[in-house]
Amino acid sequence: MRLPARVAAIVLRDRERYVFQSRGGAKGCGLRVRHWRGLRRFSSLAGAVLVSAALLAALGAGFGAIPALGPALDPGRGAWTSAAGGRPVTGQALRVPGLDHPASASFTADGIASITAADTHDLFLALGYVHAKYRLSEMDLERRLGEGRLAALAGPSDTGSDEFELRLGLPRTAQNQWAATAGATRAALEAYAAGVNDDIAEVRASGDWPAVFTLSGAYPGAWTPVDSLVIQGVLTQELDYTTSPLDRAVLQRSLGAASVNAWFPEIPANTGVINPSTPYDPGPYAKAPLTPLAPDAASSALGGTSVTAAVSAPEGLSLPPGAPRGGRGVVPPGDRVSAGDQRGTTREGESPDQVTQAASQVLAQVGQLPAGQVHEFPDSNAWAVNGPSVAGALLGGDPHLPQTLPSIWYEVALSAPGYQVAGASVPGVPGVLLGHNAHIAWSLTDTQDQAALYYAEQVRGDEYYWKGAWRTMATASYTIAVRGGSPVHLTVDITAHGPLLSAPANPGAVDADGNGSMTVPTAQAISVDWMGNVPSDDLTALLAINAAGDWAHFKAALSTWRAPTQNFTYADDDAAPGGLSGNIGVYAAGYYPQVAAGCQPWLPMPGGGSCDVTGVIPYSAIPQVYDPPAHVVATDNQRPVTAAYPYYVGTSDGFYDPGYRAAYAQASLSSLLASGKPVTAASVAGLQGSLTDSLAASIVPRLLAALGGTTLTARQQAAVALLRSWNDSMDEGSAAATVWWTFWTDYLRGVFQPWWNAGHVPASTDDDSLTASPDLFPLDEDLQAWTLGAGDSAVAAAAFRGPSGHGPAGAPAAMVTAFRSAVASLSSSPGGAPPSWTWGRVHSREFPALTQASGLGYGPRAAGGDEFTENAADGGMTATAGPSWRMVATLAGTGSLVSAEGVYPGGQSENPASPWYANLIPLWWDGHYLPLPVPGVAATGAGAVRWSLHG
């Protein structure tokens, strides 16, 4: 989870900028950012006070254009708060008014928390209190992000983000979900909110606010259960919301339908080139009738007084009289379906200018979102192993997400009668998302199916054309408060598919009566039908998983999970086939939307009604596997099923990982099992740290063969020698790794960039998804297949020849050219002899501060890995995304306690002055783990502390 790059303005704008980072250009200021960076090396209050004092001495009177800090200098608040909040944690008795019974919270010397309570009400209340104690700023920023309230804190630069989130509808979805929440889940959310509010009240009384509030002057309001559901929605957006159909529309307009369909197929070109067992659900499959998808009251215009009452205030949703009652392809009673309803916007396979312009407008809006709010990093690992070589079952999980300080995760063990669980929790939400209880362990990876469908709507004024008639759009009205600026008024128009994301533009015409005799001037706009806007009872599922004891209960718990679609990887300690103990499996829970045959969900579809969602894949038929004969399951964001799967789950374009990590993990674990050697937690941990690039392993031998008959300079020969002795590992000290990555980048661009140039692809519209680079995974898959002699040979030959027809004759010639280019480039930068071109000289990792405040992050630091290694590094040559949490669980058999270890790159506290701010990074960096606390057992050992909590 990552907040906007511009959200630094929350603490950096005006006077605040000079509290958190000093700009070298300010006259008279002798401070530099490197001095503030020293903060993370201080592990005591004294160090933090020295840094704060230096800043205050330099900035107290103001200078140049910089005003005096004013309230930031208040010793009881302001910048001092950061230092005061960094005091070492000590044992104490605390009053938490909402508790019904005494409870306790204990912390290891590293800050890992354990909470014990008499019942789940008090347990979740205490969890909310502890989360807020250490992550209140993060929680408040996350809810502001999802609720479209960043500009009130950060100013005009974040109105774009607020407008998009309000259009998309996370607040409407959260309110609708809350209205439908009942029973234990409702009680858990209410108790959690009460705990957060107990901490807010305590901080308000003491005045010891986290610095982000004092410096901005914007203090957090009371926490509500809806806020927790909004944070759930933010995480869903990060993992499930994609713009691939919009990007494809832009590419198709530039490159033509034939090229885009060839290079971005539904089934990747390299299928069969990589390990054929990569899909974890190999079938056989049976096609069952679709499950109807309930109308989405949070974002669609449905009509009816009950819906109006559920989603009116405070969002201001207006549902017009006569609005359709169906939605999602359900024809309302008495409505007429016109024979003239268009199947597509233009001829088959073409994307018209109107749709492309509207798509580009949406992509421009998305570009204003915080980094990570659109799902772009399909990198997570989760594996499970059982069998004769395993004493029970093993599970390893490491979800790959943007890495920030503080982290998305807070590690905790929770204990109450009937509820014993440990693992990674999400501040703002009750429960444990990844972890284990007494009998099962689980982890998650993104399934990568297509969950966002886009529609090209014909609109005129406040009406849109759907199912043969003009309909009045529903509207939701907002006033966005802007710090330092005028309020912004926003009206969201909502169709039967969902909210309009683009403003109506580009007049066109439509056959309104379906008889060809009448045209009505219209405009075109893009709407989205996103499964994340379907109310999803994820928390009920999560709490049931936390308490599940076997596969049957685990699967039953997931039946209410709708979005984001996730591969839930599982292991238990129960009896297994063949007299073994320990079962393993995967269940890909979530909604997989389906449309009628002939529709093209990989592009914006016509909004007239012919391509509406007709249902979702039935729960029993979604991808899954349980106790496979090979005794291994590996989920690494690869396509989970084969081409024989009878339902649409997405194309290679923008959805699935190429499968290099999945193939490597499957092969490595299978080989270890076949050897008969014991498979242990250390085996799984070793795989999590692997830096092997299996794409390189398949391509480098072909490159060396192509270079074999060519004349090479001494420097080129030295580079060849590096590759010949290379072990395919992206170690930071490997020069061969640098040669490989530079070659592959130049090879891919050498083949595809001429096409991009000739088509004038507007890559700046969406750099991550429209630039010809290794980040555009279908191109990697194409080039791998063509290099290895697989795929469509005619398509490959045409691609190599280029738009001019005079390009390389094939892969060998193109590789030689790319290799020469790579060596020339590296000779210039980083320069020196080839053995000095180590990967760490050009590649690093960085964990930026959540606020993006310079100096409060970690790094950049030379690092290994790339986006195809198990220990993934995403985000460019300075990677900012990767394994956000590593866990290995050992389930040794019935009657044995589950043992687990884990670590994440960060710390339990969000306060830079705290010794728990970044203390776990060295452990994570070096591949070490800490034991997960045992639920119900208080932390012990040197440095452990205990809080007694009383109502």
Side-chain angles (χ1 to χ4, degrees):
M1 216 181 281
R2 190 209 303 256
L3 285 169
R6 291 181 304 281
V7 89
I10 294 172
V11 292
L12 303 182
R13 184 164 285 116
D14 305 327
R15 65 177 182 267
E16 289 84 319
R17 172 178 299 173
Y18 301 92
V19 174
F20 278 98
Q21 69 181 71
S22 169
R23 303 293 191 186
K27 293 181 180 179
C29 180
L31 296 178
R32 292 294 186 268
V33 173
R34 64 175 178 270
H35 295 155
W36 187 251
R37 279 193 178 135
L39 178 60
R40 66 170 169 260
R41 292 191 292 271
F42 285 89
S43 60
S44 67
L45 174 63
V49 168
L50 288 175
V51 174
S52 298
L55 282 169
L56 295 174
L59 304 176
F63 52 87
I66 304 171
L69 296 180
L73 297 179
D74 183 343
R77 296 179 171 83
W80 293 99
T81 303
S82 183
R87 283 189 292 263
V89 178
T90 59
Q92 53 190 310
L94 297 170
R95 184 172 182 271
V96 183
L99 289 174
D100 292 333
H101 311 91
S104 67
S106 62
F107 306 87
T108 69
D110 294 301
I112 310 304
S114 296
I115 300 173
T116 300
D119 56 33
T120 54
H121 169 272
D122 285 357
L123 182 67
F124 293 130
L125 191 145
L127 177 62
Y129 179 80
V130 171
H131 273 170
K133 187 65 66 180
Y134 290 101
R135 299 290 185 85
L136 181 59
S137 299
E138 177 183 33
M139 292 162 61
D140 187 61
L141 291 174
E142 290 290 345
R143 68 172 169 175
R144 284 180 177 273
L145 171 62
E147 293 169 0
R149 297 191 295 114
L150 280 180
L153 189 65
S157 64
D158 281 298
T159 56
S161 173
D162 288 349
E163 289 179 1
F164 183 86
E165 295 298 352
L166 292 172
R167 284 193 180 97
L168 187 61
L170 294 189
R172 299 190 295 274
T173 302
Q175 288 167 354
N176 192 69
Q177 180 61 53
W178 174 239
T181 299
T185 303
R186 191 177 188 89
L189 286 165
E190 290 174 333
Y192 182 87
V196 176
N197 288 327
D198 282 345
D199 176 70
I200 292 175
E202 181 180 306
V203 175
R204 182 178 292 111
S206 69
D208 191 18
W209 290 101
V212 68
F213 304 122
T214 306
L215 297 176
S216 67
Y219 295 88
W223 195 267
T224 71
V226 173
D227 294 328
S228 292
L229 295 174
V230 166
I231 288 182
Q232 173 186 305
V234 170
L235 186 56
T236 298
Q237 182 177 332
E238 292 173 343
L239 295 174
D240 210 44
Y241 181 74
T242 61
T243 59
S244 295
L246 306 180
D247 292 304
R248 187 170 182 132
V250 173
L251 285 175
Q252 190 157 298
R253 194 61 178 167
S254 298
L255 301 173
S259 294
V260 171
N261 290 338
W263 298 340
F264 299 87
E266 180 174 356
I267 305 300
N270 66 349
T271 299
V273 177
I274 58 176
N275 190 328
S277 66
T278 294
Y280 64 76
D281 181 359
Y285 313 110
K287 187 169 185 179
L290 299 180
T291 298
L293 184 56
D296 175 8
S299 65
S300 297
L302 301 171
T305 55
S306 62
V307 175
T308 302
V311 294
S312 54
E315 267 56 44
L317 183 65
S318 172
L319 298 171
R325 292 178 172 78
R328 298 195 182 281
V330 180
V331 180
D335 278 357
R336 173 172 53 87
V337 179
S338 169
D341 185 28
Q342 296 174 316
R343 194 74 168 162
T345 52
T346 59
R347 294 187 300 273
E348 176 71 12
E350 293 187 354
S351 180
D353 286 333
Q354 292 181 9
V355 176
T356 304
Q357 291 169 4
S360 297
Q361 185 186 125
V362 178
L363 291 173
Q365 293 180 40
V366 170
Q368 300 181 61
L369 289 175
Q373 285 308 108
V374 175
H375 184 58
E376 294 169 341
F377 298 106
D379 287 335
S380 293
N381 304 322
W383 318 301
V385 188
N386 64 1
S389 299
V390 185
L394 289 167
L395 179 138
D398 54 301
H400 302 173
L401 295 169
Q403 296 168 314
T404 58
L405 291 177
S407 167
I408 179 180
W409 306 116
Y410 185 87
E411 188 176 350
V412 67
L414 302 174
S415 176
Y419 192 91
Q420 309 286 325
V421 64
S425 67
V426 176
V429 181
V432 167
L433 185 57
L434 313 166
H436 75 86
N437 59 28
H439 298 289
I440 71 170
W442 67 95
S443 191
L444 280 66
T445 66
D446 207 84
T447 305
Q448 300 291 126
D449 68 303
Q450 182 174 351
L453 306 177
Y454 293 87
Y455 290 88
E457 306 278 9
Q458 297 290 340
V459 301
R460 62 177 190 188
D462 62 353
E463 296 181 314
Y464 70 104
Y465 189 76
W466 184 65
K467 290 191 177 295
W470 288 100
R471 320 287 180 140
T472 303
M473 288 183 281
T475 59
S477 299
Y478 303 89
T479 298
I480 301 172
V482 181
R483 182 182 179 213
S486 300
V488 173
H489 300 286
L490 175 69
T491 297
V492 180
D493 294 314
I494 305 172
T495 74
H497 304 112
L500 293 188
L501 299 182
S502 69
N506 303 313
V510 67
D511 179 1
D513 292 335
N515 58 15
S517 62
M518 176 183 177
T519 60
V520 179
T522 67
Q524 193 127 54
I526 295 291
S527 68
V528 64
D529 191 351
W530 176 47
M531 296 301 101
N533 273 339
V534 177
S536 180
D537 203 359
D538 292 357
L539 186 55
T540 295
L542 179 62
L543 297 178
I545 289 170
N546 287 180
D550 56 32
W551 176 250
H553 288 93
F554 184 77
K555 279 180 59 176
L558 289 172
S559 63
T560 66
W561 187 281
R562 305 289 183 254
T565 308
Q566 296 284 290
N567 301 305
F568 284 80
T569 305
Y570 166 95
D572 68 27
D573 64 356
D574 207 353
L580 303 173
S581 63
N583 302 277
I584 60 175
V586 182
Y587 211 87
Y591 270 165
Y592 301 75
Q594 304 295 293
V595 295
C599 295
Q600 299 180 344
W602 48 86
L603 287 169
M605 295 179 289
S610 59
C611 289
D612 291 1
V613 172
T614 55
V616 296
I617 299 174
Y619 185 64
S620 61
I622 61 177
Q624 59 190 282
V625 66
Y626 181 66
D627 278 340
H631 298 294
V632 175
V633 293
T635 66
D636 300 68
N637 311 113
Q638 77 276 25
R639 190 179 182 89
V641 291
T642 72
Y645 191 62
Y647 304 97
Y648 174 75
V649 291
T651 71
S652 64
D653 179 16
F655 298 104
Y656 297 102
D657 183 86
Y660 307 131
R661 290 178 295 114
Y664 182 77
Q666 180 84 30
S668 297
L669 292 170
S670 295
S671 176
L672 190 58
L673 288 171
S675 72
K677 298 177 181 178
V679 182
T680 65
S683 308
V684 176
L687 185 56
Q688 287 180 337
S690 172
L691 297 175
T692 297
D693 185 324
S694 55
L695 173 62
S698 70
I699 297 297
V700 168
R702 299 300 179 100
L703 170 61
L704 295 175
L707 294 170
T710 61
T711 301
L712 302 174
T713 66
R715 189 173 290 267
Q716 290 166 353
Q717 291 175 5
V720 168
L722 292 172
L723 292 175
R724 289 193 186 282
S725 61
W726 187 36
N727 63 354
D728 306 314
S729 182
M730 301 298 290
D731 296 298
E732 67 175 271
S734 171
T738 307
V739 174
W740 149 253
W741 189 258
T742 309
F743 154 75
W744 181 255
T745 301
D746 287 355
Y747 182 28
L748 187 145
R749 287 178 175 162
V751 173
F752 291 105
Q753 193 62 50
W755 294 96
W756 258 242
N757 293 341
H760 303 287
V761 174
S764 61
T765 303
D766 186 354
D767 286 330
D768 290 325
S769 298
L770 295 177
T771 300
S773 76
D775 293 333
L776 206 51
F777 289 160
L779 301 187
D780 297 296
E781 295 167 328
D782 293 335
L783 199 53
Q784 181 199 26
W786 301 340
T787 303
L788 300 181
D792 189 316
S793 59
V795 170
F800 283 117
R801 286 194 300 269
S804 68
H806 302 294
M815 284 194 289
V816 170
T817 299
F819 177 78
R820 295 183 188 279
S821 171
V823 173
S825 175
L826 292 171
S827 297
S828 174
S829 178
S836 73
W837 299 341
T838 56
W839 186 232
R841 288 185 66 188
V842 299
H843 182 263
S844 61
R845 287 188 191 267
E846 182 176 15
F847 307 146
L850 192 68
T851 60
Q852 301 294 296
S854 177
L856 298 186
Y858 182 92
R861 174 180 168 184
D866 64 31
E867 55 201 42
F868 302 136
T869 58
E870 305 295 344
N871 187 0
D874 278 311
M877 298 307 284
T878 300
T880 55
S884 63
W885 159 256
R886 294 189 183 120
M887 180 185 75
V888 181
T890 303
L891 300 99
T894 304
S896 301
L897 288 176
V898 175
S899 63
E901 53 189 9
V903 68
Y904 67 88
Q908 296 281 81
S909 174
E910 68 182 3
N911 192 316
S914 169
W916 293 345
Y917 180 64
N919 59 306
L920 302 177
I921 291 178
L923 293 169
W924 179 94
W925 199 281
D926 294 335
H928 300 308
Y929 299 73
L930 292 173
L932 265 68
V934 178
V937 178
T940 58
V945 297
R946 176 186 171 95
W947 291 351
S948 297
L949 309 178
H950 304 275

